[in-house]
Amino acid sequence: MKILIDGMGGDNAPEAVVEGAVLAAAETANEICIIGPIDKMRALTEKYTGKRKLMGSISFVDATEVITNSESPALA
């Protein structure tokens, strides 16, 4: 199963989101796919992976546009 995660969504993103994705990949054989600015997502993944062995894999989808809290949801 492939699990897609918005790397820039939620409180304390992207750090908390990527850390959670790495923890999930260590516990499941599923593929975790993080969507967001790929350079930032990869760097954070390497930071949180460290020496942790992952059962699943982590992949990325580059998304350069980010909707911020200051933007109108209807216009975004």
Side-chain angles (χ1 to χ4, degrees):
M1 176 187 303
K2 184 182 268 192
I3 300 168
L4 304 173
I5 299 173
D6 178 3
M8 300 302 290
D11 294 337
N12 303 313
E15 289 85 4
V17 175
V18 173
E19 182 180 16
V22 170
L23 291 171
E27 297 292 325
T28 180
N30 294 320
E31 179 183 354
I32 310 291
C33 181
I34 306 172
I35 303 165
I38 199 164
D39 293 338
K40 184 179 280 191
M41 299 299 119
R42 275 198 178 128
L44 286 169
T45 300
E46 291 172 9
K47 173 185 173 183
Y48 288 114
T49 302
K51 295 180 181 180
R52 182 177 282 119
K53 182 175 171 121
L54 303 181
M55 291 176 58
S57 62
I58 297 178
S59 62
F60 306 92
V61 172
D62 195 22
T64 56
E65 294 183 40
V66 176
I67 299 170
T68 64
N69 288 336
S70 63
E71 295 181 65
S72 166
L75 298 177

